[in-house]
Amino acid sequence: MPRNYDIAELKRLDVAHHLPAQQDYKLIEDIGGSRIVTHAEGCYIHDGDGNRILDGMAGLWCVNVGYGREELVEVAAEQMRELPFYNTFFKTATPATVLLAHRIAGLTGGKLQHIFFNGSGSEANDTVFRMVRHYWKLKGEPKRKIFISRWNAYHGSTVAGVSLGGMKFMHEQGDLPIPGIEHVRQPYWFGEGFGMDKREFGKLCAAAIEERILEVGPENVAAFIGEPVQGAGGVVIPPEGYWQEVEAICRKYGILLVADEVICGFGRTGEWFGHQTLGFTPDLVPMAKGLSSGYLPISATAVSSDIVEVLKTGGDFVHGFTYSGHPVCAAVALRNIDIIEREGLVSRTRDDTGPYLAKALKRLDDHPLVGEARSIGLLGAVEIVSKKGTNERFGGKEGTAGPIVRDHCIANGLMVRGIRDTIVMCPPLTISHQQIDDLVTIIEASLDQATPELRAIG
Ligand code: PXG
């Protein structure tokens, strides 16, 4: 059971001292502090105001095995007693670190046999950034520095992460992106290809990558990076064939292909990794979140043997973090993978709960405010429109309806994110049919409740 917290005091201290992530500090002050989440079990979180909320976001796209896993607590305690920390810098490693690398390599398969550990998804992408440029230099092609990414991609919040990402509002803070990063259009059919044949639109988006490569010169391009399915961008599921085209373009010009699996990894899309679901083969795979189901911070960057062979010719790769391969995080990640395997959460997502969510979301197709409801595995999105049959938005601009409907959802006991006008969901992979029904029912009721307010906006 939770401890008996003084919630009012915690909220006061939150305003006085705590700067929360990606937040408007004035707003937090105005609302009297953050919602204090005190405890959780299974697919539910509880807050200090006594609300029990179905966690449609698995924390922050990460608690794949759900909350309250005693064995993860035990394995962390056991590892802390035996060895709470040791580093991987000085020709040293710990058992859990090495075993986790072996375990991940088994899941990524093929040539992705080498694992570099970091603490967060952002760091996993920073590792990609430095490693890829270093690789090309060692290979004798030092001009290959440019990364091609997509607008509205999310690759993290560090300098390289924000720069690789395609969030303009993030670039505006900190004078980013850093040089050498090119952004091209995203394969967001509902937002940007509406009315077009989906496959044709996908081809157009892939062609934009080739056009940019030719514009900047293939000899200057190091890598293309993309999330198999964009998460923070609004669960953008690319049209069929898109990734095959992208892969062919990368191969044609000898460009490395990076699949950012920070959200898609560890069963989310119905295979261990999103690139397996979508059918392409990357050269580097940053991953985080579901790797430990968020129980402890750890990320990994899987690297192909071809790249590692080149790195071996360069002496030290002078990159790494104090907590690279942290033994406690690694032990928890190992046990988390055990749980995912033992409970068949990947195939369950592919064959059972994923299709069940897709079917449940279909119910929303007839709702007057819903432009599209889409999902892949246990990643889903509902597009809110002002005029049925179009992709027009309330208030004539993006971002009016999303926050309103999201707030209704939360008040109705469902945690989801409202990204612009898209309600997105990413529940724990342990979610039941009943809970999926609850999730969709709450979204439906929240859309109904928001309707008068939104119609008034027009
Ligand atoms: N890549 C992807 C694809 C992500 O989704 C990161 C990298 C960075 O991971 P870290 O661990 O450094 O946060 C992410 C993280 C949102 C939201 O608004 C999404 C993320 C993080 C914070 C907020 O949906 N994804």
Side-chain angles (χ1 to χ4, degrees):
M1 271 312 286
R3 280 161 279 185
N4 197 15
Y5 296 107
D6 181 343
I7 298 298
E9 174 67 354
L10 286 172
K11 287 194 179 213
R12 193 187 68 73
L13 296 176
D14 182 53
V15 172
H17 302 294
H18 175 219
L19 298 177
Q22 296 194 7
Q23 196 47 262
D24 174 343
Y25 304 135
K26 180 69 173 66
L27 177 84
I28 288 292
E29 188 175 283
D30 291 347
I31 64 170
S34 307
R35 178 190 299 274
I36 307 291
V37 176
T38 50
H39 59 292
E41 83 284 327
C43 292
Y44 294 93
I45 54 172
H46 296 255
D47 70 18
D49 303 318
N51 298 303
R52 176 178 183 256
I53 302 171
L54 178 58
D55 189 5
M57 285 309 297
L60 194 56
W61 321 81
C62 56
V63 187
N64 287 15
V65 300
Y67 299 95
R69 295 286 191 166
E70 270 307 313
E71 60 182 303
L72 296 184
V73 179
E74 277 159 24
V75 82
E78 195 183 336
Q79 180 63 52
M80 274 195 209
R81 276 188 209 105
E82 187 177 279
L83 181 72
F85 177 79
Y86 205 73
N87 72 73
T88 63
F89 277 60
F90 306 115
K91 304 192 192 79
T92 52
T94 75
T97 314
V98 175
L99 291 172
L100 180 60
H102 172 245
R103 192 69 174 273
I104 295 172
L107 299 176
T108 45
K111 287 190 171 181
L112 292 164
Q113 288 302 305
H114 305 274
I115 313 296
F116 192 100
F117 288 112
N118 330 262
S120 68
S122 302
E123 288 171 41
N125 282 323
D126 279 51
T127 294
V128 165
F129 190 84
R130 293 197 65 208
M131 189 183 277
V132 162
R133 285 188 167 181
H134 180 54
Y135 159 85
W136 283 118
K137 197 168 173 189
L138 289 176
K139 252 186 95 90
E141 296 188 61
K143 276 167 56 188
R144 282 200 188 257
K145 284 188 190 155
I146 293 175
F147 278 75
I148 298 181
S149 176
R150 284 101 46 100
W151 291 116
N152 198 37
Y154 193 87
H155 296 301
S157 197
T158 51
V159 170
V162 172
S163 298
L164 289 168
M167 302 285 179
K168 287 183 186 163
F169 59 92
M170 291 180 84
H171 291 164
E172 279 165 16
Q173 298 176 352
D175 201 12
L176 299 170
I178 50 175
I181 296 171
E182 295 282 329
H183 295 90
V184 298
R185 69 183 306 177
Q186 55 172 333
Y188 179 25
W189 177 82
F190 189 83
E192 299 178 12
F194 199 76
M196 280 185 73
D197 175 74
K198 281 191 181 164
R199 240 194 134 97
E200 281 308 307
F201 175 69
K203 277 191 181 161
L204 213 66
C205 295
I209 299 168
E210 183 163 25
E211 282 158 27
R212 190 64 61 88
I213 291 170
L214 293 172
E215 244 171 75
V216 299
E219 71 282 5
N220 298 317
V221 181
F224 173 81
I225 182 167
E227 305 151 77
V229 175
Q230 287 155 259
V235 181
V236 176
I237 306 168
E240 232 172 273
Y242 170 80
W243 273 112
Q244 286 66 40
E245 302 260 346
V246 173
E247 183 173 27
I249 292 165
C250 288
R251 301 295 167 234
K252 181 171 169 189
Y253 297 102
I255 291 163
L256 295 174
L257 178 52
V258 185
D260 182 340
E261 297 273 4
V262 169
I263 284 178
C264 294
F266 300 93
R268 182 52 60 191
T269 65
E271 299 292 341
W272 278 96
F273 294 99
H275 67 267
Q276 295 162 347
T277 303
L278 291 162
F280 67 99
T281 307
D283 301 295
L284 295 110
V285 177
M287 62 189 82
K289 296 192 188 266
L291 167 58
S292 65
S293 285
Y295 275 67
L296 283 175
I298 180 168
S299 71
T301 307
V303 186
S304 82
S305 313
D306 294 344
I307 294 174
V308 173
E309 283 313 306
V310 173
L311 295 179
K312 283 179 186 168
T313 66
D316 288 351
F317 174 44
V318 283
H319 176 72
F321 308 98
T322 302
Y323 300 133
S324 285
H326 193 293
V328 183
C329 303
V332 167
L334 269 169
R335 187 60 65 87
N336 171 64
I337 294 170
D338 283 345
I339 294 173
I340 296 175
E341 249 171 25
R342 193 200 316 136
E343 298 185 4
L345 293 178
V346 179
S347 58
R348 182 165 176 263
T349 302
R350 184 187 60 219
D351 303 329
D352 177 13
T353 44
Y356 194 88
L357 174 67
K359 211 168 117 216
L361 284 172
K362 275 255 155 257
R363 272 176 27 211
L364 298 179
D365 274 349
D366 294 332
H367 196 283
L369 258 52
V370 173
E372 180 181 81
R374 58 175 179 268
S375 67
I376 181 168
L378 284 172
L379 265 181
V382 176
E383 297 276 1
I384 307 164
V385 294
S386 57
K387 205 159 133 205
K388 190 82 186 162
T390 72
N391 66 353
E392 290 171 25
R393 307 297 189 175
F394 281 99
K397 61 173 172 40
E398 285 194 317
T400 304
I404 293 174
V405 175
R406 175 210 53 206
D407 286 350
H408 279 292
C409 287
I410 298 172
N412 289 328
L414 171 68
M415 185 57 77
V416 284
R417 285 216 349 73
I419 297 172
R420 297 180 311 277
D421 294 309
T422 314
I423 298 297
V424 299
M425 65 216 78
C426 176
L429 304 185
T430 51
I431 193 167
S432 68
H433 288 192
Q434 180 60 53
Q435 288 163 337
I436 290 173
D437 285 334
D438 292 348
L439 181 150
V440 173
T441 301
I442 293 176
I443 294 175
E444 196 171 14
S446 302
L447 286 164
D448 289 342
Q449 283 167 0
T451 300
E453 187 181 348
L454 290 173
R455 289 285 177 228
I457 293 166

